[in-house]
Amino acid sequence: MLKKVIWATDGSPTTKSEYPVAKDLAESSGAKLIVAHAGEMVSSGEAGIFVDSTDTLQATLERTVDDLKREGL
């Protein structure tokens, strides 16, 4: 029996299509669904510069997580 299912996404169509699979797997096994996303790190010399071009994706993921919580996942 699964305890946790992790859905890692970068916002691409491939990872978006994996969401229903992860959700169904968590629901059917009673597992906790963890949503993970990482920003892009661009290196410039010695200092890394965090590029946050994903404001829309972050807002979408926050809504998705809110919906999952309402559904009990």
Side-chain angles (χ1 to χ4, degrees), residues 26-62:
E27 287 176 327
S28 66
S29 64
K32 180 178 185 176
L33 179 58
I34 298 169
V35 178
H37 175 262
E40 181 179 356
M41 184 70 135
V42 177
S43 179
S44 174
E46 291 184 27
I49 301 170
F50 183 73
V51 177
D52 186 10
S53 61
T54 60
D55 291 339
T56 303
L57 176 58
Q58 182 172 341
T60 300
L61 290 176
E62 288 173 1

